[in-house]
Structures are given as C-alpha cells and as structure tokens.
Amino acid sequence: MQYNFVILHLVKSAGNMNDINRSNIEAFLKLIEKAERPVIVTHAKPDGDAMGSTVAMYHFLGLLGKERRKVVLNDRCPGYLRYLEATMSAQDLVIHNDTPSDAEDAIAQADLVLCLDFHAFHRTRNLETALASSKAAKILVDHHLDPDRSLYEVSFSETAISSASELLYWILMATPQIDSKAENLPSECATALMTGMTTDTNNFNNSVYPTTLIMASQMLAAGVDRDFILQKINQEHSENRLRLKGFMLKDLLKVTDDGVAFMILDKEAQLRYNMQEGDTEGFVNEPLSIADVRMSIYAREDKGEIRISIRSKKGTSANRCARLFFDGGGHENAAGGKLLIPIGEVEEYIRKYTHIYMTEYEK
Ligand SMILES: [Mn+2]
C-alpha cells in the first residue's frame, strides 16, 4: 500500500495532528477491512459536524465495499440537515428514538463501532449502555477534550482542529484509497465533510486553523458545491424560527455586571413559536457581539432538565465554567451541560454561579 507522506507531513507541520500517522492509519484501515458489520455512531441531537462526519464515514465505508454498514443515531437530525441523511440508504439508518431495540441490536451485533464527534459514551444518550457493553473493536474520531483512549483500538483525537469532519478529512486523505486527492472522495462524502467543517466553524468564524483553509481550498478545487451547502444550512428555516430569535434577543436576553449574557427559554415559548429540534442552533453566539460580554449562556427547558449551551470569547473558558457549574464540558470557547432544577430557578442559579465563576476563576 502507498501512504502519502506529503499529506502526513503537511498536516503535521500546519496543525497539531499527532494521531494522523502511518501506524494509526494502517490500523484504522485494517479494522475496517476486517469488519463485516461496521456501525457508525455520533452524539445525541446531531448537529452539522456530527451528521457530516457520520455521513462521510458511511460513504467511505461504501467505497471500501462495506455493504452491511449501519448508522445508529439516538435521534434524528434537524430538518436543515436532511440533505445529508438522504444520501444514505434508508435501511442503513437506525434511530433509537423510533426503534430502540433495533438500535441496540445493531450495536450489539456490530464487529466494529466507529465513534464520531464525541468524547464519552454518555454523549450518545440512550446508546450509552449498548456501547459500553459492546465487545467490538472501536475507533474514535473526535475533537473534544479528554476522551478515554483506553476504550478504543484506534483513536484520532485532536483539539487543535476545526471539527470532527476536518479530522476525518485528513484521515481519509492519508489513506491509499483517497491518496491525498479530494476528488477521489465520493461526492456525498466530500459534501458531508464540508458541511461539518462549515457548521462547526460557524462559517469560518471560529476554530479556523491553517489546515481548515487548506481543506476548504482542496474541496472547492475538487468541485464541492459550497453555495448549495450554505443555502441548505442558512436558507431553509421556518418563519417561526426567525421570529423566535427576535423574541429571544429582544425579550429574553439579560446581561450581568460580570459580562455574562444569558437567555432562558421555557416550554411555553417553545410551543408558541412551534420550535423544532435545531431551531435555536447558533443563537447562543449572538450576545458575544456585545463589547462587554465575555460569556454567553443559553438555557432551554427540555424533557425533565434544563439544557445549557455556553460560548465564550478568547481568554474566558466556557469549558471550565461548564465543568464546574453545569455538569458538562466541551471545547475551550464552546461547551454545554445541564441543570436539574425547576425552570423558575434557572435565572438565580446562572446569576449566582457565573458571578462566582467570573470573579473567582477568571480573574
Ligand atoms: Mn464537532
């Protein structure tokens, strides 16, 4: 087999991708070649990067002749990402929310599990138990902090990268099958990877590394239709979604003296605006446009818990705040978590603990 050392050298020198090396790539391909029933999983409430890396891996497995591959999701992706889902054969997609036992059976019967865009099994929600008891070999492709590498035969874990989709791009480029030519990627695979990188960087607004732009350039040269992707992710939403955004920014947004902005969305408002999964994706970034704001928190009432998204400006750690006070974590400037308190107590909680955080931990 020929391995392309130009690519290996490029990603090594431009980024910080120690895991993309010859022995890891060889081990990755060997596991796939051996597998008869590979299963791909990603985190619950899949976003563009989760779906992008998942769908791309699905098509790469197809290229390698893995006809019996399956994608197992905890829940279905939001509507604006259905164009990615639609490139897969419907019988290869199993969704735990719809058919729990089929999803668990698929994981139990898998002889290889590819884990994409999450650092711990619990991020897959209802798939956690099946993953933990699976004896199959596992491969990790992820860009979050601190994964447990002992759970995986092969792990690609890099944090100095835009997205799991970009990481998967460089992994695939280093394989003999793709041979460092983006035009060798199946076109559905390339579109999915470009989507994941574009959504996780918020269209090149954050987490852009030298390798990110090289990837974008190579993808455009290979004919990936970026206009189509941008239209799908930006211009296919409902009128309700835009009105909900207006309501949140005008009526819900509060800013504390510590430079923390927060919005708390209760069930009643979600019903009033007929909110669909994924509708508020990205809204948490908006308050960072305010000069005095260093961190933005979005709290949403969701089945029995309060889901928390946190974004911060450079120099303030969303990840540390999420770990300390919101039972979560993530990336340095983009993290998430949850609260198990009544919605009526969330404002007081956020005010109290972000005050402690900003005055005692961020000084
Ligand atoms: Mn991601």
Side-chain angles (χ1 to χ4, degrees):
M1 274 198 270
Q2 284 296 306
Y3 287 84
N4 193 307
F5 293 104
V6 177
I7 283 296
L8 295 181
H9 177 75
L10 174 78
V11 297
K12 239 189 165 130
S13 56
N16 182 28
M17 288 182 240
N18 297 315
D19 286 345
I20 301 186
N21 55 58
R22 182 175 176 151
S23 71
N24 239 0
I25 297 285
E26 275 177 344
F28 166 75
L29 288 173
K30 207 172 247 165
L31 284 176
I32 293 175
E33 271 154 23
K34 259 197 347 211
E36 284 172 19
R37 295 176 309 281
V39 160
I40 305 166
V41 295
T42 189
H43 60 77
K45 312 240 157 132
D47 58 4
D49 190 31
M51 283 307 289
S53 52
T54 294
V55 169
M57 186 69 93
Y58 172 88
H59 290 293
F60 181 69
L61 294 183
L63 186 72
L64 299 190
K66 302 293 150 181
E67 295 294 332
R68 297 173 70 192
R69 65 207 190 281
K70 286 216 183 309
V71 167
V72 179
L73 300 177
N74 179 69
D75 42 331
R76 218 166 159 210
C77 67
Y80 73 97
L81 294 169
R82 293 285 156 81
Y83 72 101
L84 295 180
E85 186 190 293
T87 66
M88 304 190 290
S89 164
Q91 72 220 27
D92 295 338
L93 177 63
V94 190
I95 297 176
H96 193 283
N97 272 1
D98 301 341
T99 51
S101 57
D102 287 357
E104 283 153 28
D105 288 350
I107 292 173
Q109 285 158 21
D111 53 3
L112 175 65
V113 181
L114 298 117
C115 300
L116 310 183
D117 197 29
F118 65 86
H119 76 295
F121 289 164
H122 72 83
R123 295 281 288 113
T124 66
R125 285 241 168 165
N126 301 314
L127 309 182
E128 180 181 5
T129 318
L131 287 176
S133 55
S134 154
K135 301 264 186 298
K138 295 183 189 67
I139 295 172
L140 176 74
V141 178
D142 180 49
H143 66 129
H144 298 85
L145 299 164
D146 304 328
D148 181 355
R149 287 184 188 256
S150 70
L151 298 172
Y152 306 92
E153 269 66 15
V154 176
S155 57
F156 297 94
S157 164
E158 306 287 353
T159 52
I161 196 162
S162 65
S163 53
S165 295
E166 187 195 332
L167 181 53
L168 181 57
Y169 176 75
W170 292 116
I171 294 167
L172 299 186
M173 291 290 272
T175 65
Q177 287 81 3
I178 306 304
D179 191 26
S180 78
K181 295 183 187 72
E183 58 269 31
N184 289 343
L185 292 166
S187 72
E188 302 92 341
C189 175
T191 298
L193 292 174
M194 187 76 155
T195 298
M197 181 269 277
T198 303
T199 56
D200 251 27
T201 61
N202 193 11
N203 198 15
F204 299 97
N205 268 284
N206 52 262
S207 323
V208 172
Y209 291 81
T211 51
T212 315
L213 294 173
I214 296 170
M215 169 188 174
S217 165
Q218 292 178 344
M219 287 243 143
L220 290 178
V224 171
D225 191 346
R226 189 170 128 83
D227 292 337
F228 167 79
I229 293 170
L230 290 177
Q231 181 213 320
K232 286 292 179 188
I233 61 183
N234 292 328
Q235 301 178 353
E236 302 269 334
H237 300 290
S238 66
E239 177 179 342
N240 270 325
R241 174 184 172 275
L242 188 62
R243 296 199 182 278
L244 171 61
K245 186 175 187 175
F247 163 69
M248 288 173 64
L249 295 178
K250 179 173 169 291
D251 291 350
L252 299 187
L253 176 64
K254 294 179 180 164
V255 182
T256 74
D257 293 341
D258 302 304
V260 175
F262 65 91
M263 299 180 284
I264 301 166
L265 187 66
D266 62 21
K267 261 262 119 70
E268 187 274 318
Q270 295 174 31
L271 288 171
R272 185 151 33 97
Y273 288 92
N274 188 28
M275 189 180 100
Q276 305 295 307
E277 194 57 52
D279 268 1
T280 53
E281 185 78 42
F283 288 5
V284 64
N285 293 302
E286 298 291 341
L288 294 180
S289 67
I290 303 167
D292 293 335
V293 167
R294 290 166 63 196
M295 189 162 76
S296 169
I297 297 180
Y298 165 41
R300 172 163 67 89
E301 194 174 9
D302 191 27
K303 302 174 201 103
E305 63 180 40
I306 310 295
R307 301 202 56 83
I308 302 286
S309 288
I310 309 179
R311 298 292 180 274
S312 60
K313 289 181 182 170
K314 244 192 171 132
T316 299
S317 176
N319 178 54
R320 192 144 76 118
C321 184
R323 282 177 182 239
L324 284 169
F325 299 115
F326 295 96
D327 189 23
H331 309 288
E332 188 61 8
N333 300 118
K338 62 175 187 293
L339 290 177
L340 297 169
I341 58 176
I343 186 79
E345 295 171 18
V346 174
E347 174 164 355
E348 197 190 331
Y349 185 97
I350 290 177
R351 285 188 183 277
K352 180 175 170 189
Y353 288 101
T354 60
H355 178 67
I356 293 172
Y357 181 69
M358 296 303 275
T359 51
E360 291 179 21
Y361 293 88
E362 287 287 343
K363 278 290 152 195

